[in-house]
Coordinates of all heavy atoms in Angstrom, one line a residue:
V1 N -16.9 -9.0 10.3 CA -15.7 -9.9 9.8 C -14.9 -9.0 8.7 O -13.7 -9.0 8.8 CB -16.2 -11.1 9.0 CG1 -15.1 -11.9 8.5 CG2 -17.2 -11.9 9.8
F2 N -15.5 -8.2 7.9 CA -14.8 -7.2 7.1 C -13.9 -6.2 7.9 O -12.8 -6.1 7.6 CB -15.9 -6.4 6.1 CG -15.2 -5.4 5.4 CD1 -14.6 -5.5 4.1 CD2 -15.0 -4.1 5.9 CE1 -14.0 -4.6 3.4 CE2 -14.3 -3.0 5.2 CZ -13.9 -3.4 4.0
S3 N -14.5 -5.8 8.9 CA -13.7 -4.9 9.8 C -12.6 -5.6 10.4 O -11.5 -4.9 10.5 CB -14.6 -4.3 10.9 OG -15.1 -5.3 11.8
H4 N -12.7 -6.8 10.8 CA -11.5 -7.5 11.4 C -10.5 -7.8 10.3 O -9.3 -7.6 10.5 CB -12.0 -8.9 11.9 CG -10.8 -9.8 12.3 ND1 -9.9 -9.5 13.3 CD2 -10.4 -10.9 11.6 CE1 -8.9 -10.5 13.2 NE2 -9.3 -11.4 12.3
Q5 N -10.9 -8.2 9.1 CA -10.0 -8.5 8.0 C -9.3 -7.2 7.6 O -8.0 -7.3 7.5 CB -10.8 -9.1 6.9 CG -10.0 -9.4 5.5 CD -9.3 -10.6 5.6 OE1 -9.4 -11.5 6.6 NE2 -8.5 -10.9 4.6
F6 N -10.0 -6.1 7.4 CA -9.3 -5.0 6.9 C -8.4 -4.3 7.9 O -7.3 -4.0 7.6 CB -10.4 -3.9 6.5 CG -9.9 -2.5 6.2 CD1 -9.0 -2.4 5.0 CD2 -10.1 -1.5 7.0 CE1 -8.4 -1.1 4.8 CE2 -9.6 -0.2 6.7 CZ -8.8 -0.1 5.6
S7 N -8.8 -4.3 9.2 CA -8.0 -3.8 10.3 C -6.8 -4.6 10.3 O -5.6 -4.1 10.6 CB -8.8 -3.7 11.5 OG -9.9 -2.8 11.4
S8 N -6.8 -5.9 10.3 CA -5.7 -6.8 10.5 C -4.8 -6.8 9.3 O -3.5 -6.7 9.5 CB -6.2 -8.2 10.7 OG -7.0 -8.2 11.9
I9 N -5.2 -6.7 8.2 CA -4.3 -6.7 6.9 C -3.8 -5.4 6.7 O -2.7 -5.3 6.1 CB -5.0 -7.5 5.7 CG1 -6.0 -6.4 5.0 CG2 -5.6 -8.8 6.0 CD1 -6.7 -6.9 3.7
A10 N -4.4 -4.4 7.0 CA -3.9 -3.0 6.6 C -2.6 -2.7 7.3 O -1.6 -2.4 6.5 CB -5.0 -2.0 6.9
G11 N -2.6 -2.8 8.6 CA -1.3 -2.6 9.2 C -0.6 -1.3 8.8 O -1.2 -0.3 8.3
A12 N 0.7 -1.3 9.0 CA 1.5 -0.2 8.6 C 1.9 -0.2 7.1 O 2.4 0.7 6.5 CB 2.8 -0.2 9.4
G13 N 1.8 -1.4 6.5 CA 2.3 -1.7 5.2 C 1.8 -0.6 4.2 O 2.6 -0.1 3.5
P14 N 0.4 -0.5 3.9 CA 0.0 0.4 2.8 C 0.4 1.9 3.0 O 0.3 2.7 2.0 CB -1.6 0.2 2.9 CG -1.8 -0.3 4.3 CD -0.6 -1.1 4.6
V15 N 0.8 2.2 4.2 CA 1.3 3.6 4.5 C 2.8 3.6 4.2 O 3.4 4.4 3.5 CB 1.0 4.1 5.8 CG1 1.7 5.4 6.0 CG2 -0.5 4.3 5.9
T16 N 3.6 2.6 4.8 CA 4.9 2.6 4.8 C 5.5 2.3 3.4 O 6.5 3.0 2.9 CB 5.5 1.5 5.8 OG1 5.0 1.9 7.1 CG2 7.0 1.5 5.8
G17 N 5.0 1.2 2.9 CA 5.6 0.7 1.6 C 5.6 1.7 0.5 O 6.5 1.9 -0.1
P18 N 4.4 2.3 0.0 CA 4.3 3.3 -1.0 C 5.3 4.5 -0.8 O 5.9 5.0 -1.7 CB 2.9 3.7 -1.1 CG 2.2 2.5 -0.6 CD 3.1 1.9 0.5
I19 N 5.4 4.9 0.4 CA 6.2 6.1 0.8 C 7.7 5.7 0.6 O 8.5 6.6 0.0 CB 5.9 6.6 2.2 CG1 4.4 7.2 2.3 CG2 6.9 7.7 2.7 CD1 4.0 7.7 3.6
L20 N 8.1 4.6 1.1 CA 9.5 4.2 1.0 C 9.8 3.9 -0.5 O 10.9 4.2 -1.0 CB 9.8 2.9 1.8 CG 9.8 3.0 3.3 CD1 9.9 1.7 4.0 CD2 10.8 4.0 3.8
A21 N 8.9 3.3 -1.2 CA 9.1 3.0 -2.8 C 9.1 4.3 -3.6 O 9.4 4.2 -4.8 CB 8.2 1.9 -3.1
S22 N 8.6 5.3 -3.0 CA 8.3 6.6 -3.9 C 9.6 7.0 -4.4 O 9.6 7.9 -5.3 CB 7.6 7.6 -3.1 OG 8.4 8.1 -2.1
V23 N 10.8 6.7 -4.0 CA 12.1 7.1 -4.5 C 12.2 6.6 -5.9 O 13.0 7.2 -6.7 CB 13.2 6.5 -3.6 CG1 13.3 7.1 -2.3 CG2 13.2 5.0 -3.6
F24 N 11.5 5.6 -6.4 CA 11.6 5.1 -7.8 C 10.6 6.0 -8.7 O 10.7 5.9 -9.9 CB 11.2 3.7 -7.8 CG 12.2 2.8 -7.4 CD1 12.0 2.1 -6.0 CD2 13.4 2.5 -8.0 CE1 13.0 1.4 -5.6 CE2 14.3 1.7 -7.5 CZ 14.2 1.0 -6.2
G25 N 9.9 6.9 -8.1 CA 8.9 7.7 -8.9 C 7.5 7.2 -8.6 O 7.2 5.9 -8.2
W26 N 6.5 8.0 -8.9 CA 5.1 7.7 -8.6 C 4.4 6.8 -9.6 O 3.5 6.0 -9.1 CB 4.2 8.9 -8.4 CG 4.0 9.8 -9.6 CD1 4.8 10.9 -10.0 CD2 3.0 9.7 -10.5 NE1 4.2 11.4 -11.2 CE2 3.1 10.6 -11.5 CE3 1.8 8.8 -10.7 CZ2 2.3 10.8 -12.6 CZ3 1.0 8.9 -11.8 CH2 1.2 9.9 -12.7
V27 N 4.9 6.7 -10.8 CA 4.3 6.0 -11.8 C 4.3 4.4 -11.5 O 3.4 3.7 -11.5 CB 4.7 6.2 -13.3 CG1 4.2 5.2 -14.3 CG2 4.2 7.6 -13.7
P28 N 5.6 3.9 -11.3 CA 5.7 2.5 -11.0 C 5.0 2.1 -9.7 O 4.5 1.0 -9.6 CB 7.2 2.2 -10.8 CG 7.8 3.6 -10.7 CD 6.9 4.6 -11.4
V29 N 5.0 3.1 -8.7 CA 4.2 2.7 -7.5 C 2.8 2.6 -7.7 O 2.2 1.6 -7.2 CB 4.6 3.8 -6.5 CG1 3.7 3.6 -5.1 CG2 6.0 3.8 -5.9
L30 N 2.2 3.5 -8.5 CA 0.8 3.3 -8.7 C 0.4 2.2 -9.6 O -0.5 1.5 -9.2 CB 0.3 4.7 -9.5 CG -1.1 4.8 -9.9 CD1 -2.0 4.7 -8.7 CD2 -1.4 5.9 -10.8
L31 N 1.3 1.9 -10.5 CA 1.0 0.6 -11.4 C 1.0 -0.6 -10.5 O 0.1 -1.5 -10.7 CB 1.9 0.6 -12.5 CG 1.8 1.6 -13.6 CD1 2.9 1.5 -14.7 CD2 0.4 1.4 -14.3
W32 N 2.0 -0.7 -9.6 CA 2.1 -1.9 -8.8 C 1.0 -2.0 -7.8 O 0.4 -3.1 -7.5 CB 3.3 -2.0 -8.2 CG 3.6 -3.2 -7.3 CD1 4.1 -3.2 -6.0 CD2 3.3 -4.6 -7.6 NE1 4.1 -4.5 -5.5 CE2 3.6 -5.3 -6.4 CE3 2.8 -5.3 -8.7 CZ2 3.5 -6.7 -6.4 CZ3 2.7 -6.6 -8.8 CH2 3.1 -7.4 -7.6
L33 N 0.5 -0.9 -7.3 CA -0.7 -0.9 -6.4 C -1.9 -1.4 -7.0 O -2.7 -2.0 -6.5 CB -0.8 0.5 -5.8 CG 0.2 1.0 -4.7 CD1 0.0 2.5 -4.4 CD2 0.0 0.1 -3.4

């Protein structure tokens, strides 16, 4: 069940989002994560 949950929710988001948002700097990105 963990593998289904993790695989399904991870998606492209945790890779795409922080990289796109890195234009604001790494500190705000890290804090929000």
Side-chain angles (χ1 to χ4, degrees):
V1 187
F2 173 87
S3 65
H4 166 69
Q5 176 82 4
F6 173 63
S7 296
S8 298
I9 69 173
V15 171
T16 302
I19 291 177
L20 292 176
S22 65
V23 294
F24 289 102
W26 68 266
V27 170
V29 172
L30 177 63
L31 290 176
W32 178 230
L33 286 170

